[in-house]
Amino acid sequence: MNVQSNKMSGKAAVFGQIEALLPELEAIYLDLHRNPELSMQEVRTAGIAADWLEKYGYEVHRNIGKTGVVGLLKNGEGPCILLRADMDGLPVKEKTGLDYASQATGTDRFGQAVSIMHACAHDMHVTWLMAAARLLAESRKQWRGTVMAVFQPAEEIGAGAAAMLGDGMVKKFPKPDVCLGQHLIPLPAGQIGYRPGVAMSAADSWEVKMVGRGAHGSMPQNSVDPVVMASATVMRLQTVVSREVAMADNAVVTVGTLQSGFNENVIPDEALLRLNIRTFKDTVRSRVLASVKRIIEAEATASGAPKMPEIREISKFPLTVNDEAAMAKTMAAMGSYFGEARLTEMEPLSGSEDFGLFGTAWNVPSVFWWVGGTDPEKFAAGMAGGEPIPVNHSPFFAPVLHPTLKTGVETILAAAYAWLD
């Protein structure tokens, strides 16, 4: 009884150290926010994370899946837990007006010159895990087992987890007992969201080249206009969800790119679409993908296209599924620390994640939860019909630093201690 009591009091002391770390964590976060890197280009960010892990006694493995980092901290016999943070930024021009706003630019995976922003809070995720990794290293008397800290590239394009696993993670590293991950979303800062079972949608992204026949703008009769073809396709795709998906099911079809031509009096010879499809059931996914393909090809046929469209998969995300027993255990620990009032059971989110691939590869439970980062007053006003709340991927997305920085570190520690002996 005495030993257990000492352990509990020791862990409480570890949580108490977070406050003193906040100035250092804020400096790390601001630096990462000012210097975002695109998917599979996270060289600087990975270096910062790897150097930090080495400083605190982790066995560090760099360049896993190109830019990924894995740190192992072995502390006697006991469970192994995988803690994951994603690192990549987005091709978005920041418009927050913050004095630490990103001015970074680069070249994206399509060869386009773009602005870069941490519009999905991966800078916060990296900072959280760095802090938690340090505190776990400094509190080894409070636990036994192995901590595997994973800094993952390319979550935004669904390629990072697969790349790390393809680089031999399952053979190179110990099998975890559980995979733990979290993500910042527009909930009130300090709140934690969770969802047992299916938590986030599957997602498929395609690039479609529609082939027409170019001509002078004054002689459309000599053309097969790909602009009209692509426009008709975009409009017809809106009927997939409204007319082919049952009301009780959910799906989203989004066309995020429509490009064609360069001059007002030249009918081009091709158009480019990039589209994203999100679903929560395998049966719905199959049906929606088939419908999207049917419409793309049918519009080309209707336009008299000289060639069928070229369809290429550019990313694919699995369903994010939380193991119910593992989530209950993790949330019980968080409820004990934070109090039940700060935990919110949510509906499944239509966003997507590749985090679940780690648990699938090792055939172990996954637990993924959400941390709020929106000013509570602004959140309440937005929900009451006031100014809309900037969401992830918005150029105006800007989490409040406090208590967001502290809460994210606390959630990782609470989850880690729930699983480590």
Side-chain angles (χ1 to χ4, degrees):
M1 203 64 174
N2 233 1
V3 175
Q4 183 65 18
S5 181
N6 287 339
K7 279 188 177 179
M8 293 303 291
S9 129
K11 288 174 182 174
V14 178
F15 283 99
Q17 293 170 26
I18 300 173
E19 198 73 39
L21 285 181
L22 289 178
E24 185 177 6
L25 299 183
E26 184 172 324
I28 292 168
Y29 169 77
L30 296 182
D31 176 62
L32 293 173
H33 189 85
R34 289 189 183 103
N35 297 283
E37 295 169 296
L38 292 171
S39 303
M40 290 302 186
Q41 301 177 30
E42 309 93 338
V43 175
R44 181 179 185 273
T45 307
I48 289 170
D51 290 348
W52 178 274
L53 291 176
E54 283 183 344
K55 179 179 177 181
Y56 292 103
Y58 284 73
E59 173 192 310
V60 176
H61 301 260
R62 302 171 188 248
N63 306 317
I64 305 295
K66 192 171 183 180
T67 53
V69 175
V70 176
L72 290 176
L73 187 65
K74 298 174 182 177
N75 189 32
E77 294 297 318
C80 176
I81 61 169
L82 184 152
L83 305 173
R84 176 273 212 164
D86 38 13
M87 299 188 290
D88 49 331
L90 283 159
V92 173
K93 172 69 174 173
E94 183 161 357
K95 298 179 181 179
T96 60
L98 295 166
D99 58 6
Y100 55 87
S102 167
Q103 302 297 323
T105 58
T107 303
D108 71 5
R109 59 183 163 149
F110 303 115
Q112 303 168 132
V114 293
S115 296
I116 312 171
M117 175 192 175
H118 268 302
C120 205
H122 295 187
D123 46 354
M124 189 68 77
H125 302 172
V126 170
T127 307
W128 285 338
L129 184 52
M130 286 172 62
R134 170 180 171 174
L135 290 167
L136 286 166
E138 292 176 342
S139 67
R140 293 181 213 191
K141 291 182 180 179
Q142 313 305 326
W143 59 273
R144 289 290 179 271
T146 298
V147 172
M148 187 190 312
V150 175
F151 292 87
Q152 181 207 304
E155 183 278 332
E156 295 293 1
I157 62 172
M164 294 188 80
L165 290 165
D167 206 0
M169 275 188 75
V170 171
K171 292 181 179 178
K172 290 177 181 176
F173 304 115
K175 180 178 180 177
D177 290 87
V178 68
C179 298
L180 302 169
Q182 61 182 8
H183 203 297
L184 189 147
I185 62 170
L187 280 176
Q191 288 292 118
I192 297 114
Y194 69 97
R195 176 73 187 185
V198 174
M200 300 180 76
S201 73
D204 296 88
S205 292
W206 289 357
E207 182 176 83
V208 179
K209 185 166 80 171
M210 306 198 82
V211 181
R213 183 183 303 115
H216 196 287
S218 67
M219 294 178 279
Q221 71 277 11
N222 293 321
S223 76
V224 174
D225 194 334
V227 176
V228 174
M229 190 192 316
S231 300
T233 302
V234 171
M235 295 306 296
R236 183 64 183 241
L237 286 173
Q238 308 312 304
T239 67
V240 172
V241 174
S242 66
R243 289 296 175 269
E244 298 190 42
V245 175
M247 187 174 70
D249 291 323
N250 293 290
V252 173
V253 176
T254 298
V255 178
T257 300
L258 197 170
Q259 297 173 346
S260 188
F262 297 96
N263 210 50
E264 81 283 0
N265 67 345
V266 176
I267 296 173
D269 61 359
E270 62 182 47
L272 182 75
L273 303 177
R274 295 192 186 107
L275 52 137
N276 180 252
I277 300 115
R278 295 175 189 263
T279 51
F280 289 104
K281 294 179 182 176
D282 288 339
T283 53
V284 176
R285 175 180 175 271
S286 297
R287 187 163 66 248
V288 169
L289 291 178
S291 296
V292 169
K293 184 173 186 289
R294 184 195 74 235
I295 287 170
I296 291 168
E297 291 179 346
E299 289 294 347
T301 300
S303 297
K307 173 178 179 184
M308 278 291 101
E310 298 172 16
I311 300 174
R312 179 174 72 91
E313 181 181 274
I314 53 177
S315 71
K316 184 177 180 178
F317 292 81
L319 280 172
T320 298
V321 182
N322 282 320
D323 181 270
E324 298 201 8
M327 171 137 273
K329 178 175 178 174
T330 306
M331 287 302 118
M334 289 198 196
S336 176
Y337 176 75
F338 291 104
E340 295 296 329
R342 286 179 65 181
L343 307 184
T344 303
E345 183 168 353
M346 301 178 65
E347 293 299 314
L349 299 189
S350 55
S352 302
E353 259 288 346
D354 63 356
F355 165 75
L357 293 177
F358 292 114
T360 300
W362 269 292
N363 193 27
V364 299
S366 291
V367 180
F368 194 81
W369 64 91
W370 304 290
V371 178
T374 302
D375 178 277
E377 291 185 5
K378 291 182 178 179
F379 182 86
M383 296 301 288
E387 188 173 340
I389 302 162
V391 298
N392 303 66
H393 293 214
S394 162
F396 299 99
F397 183 73
V400 292
L401 296 185
H402 305 290
T404 310
L405 270 172
K406 183 179 180 184
T407 303
V409 181
E410 291 173 318
T411 51
I412 298 176
L413 285 179
Y417 283 142
W419 287 91
L420 294 167
D421 284 342

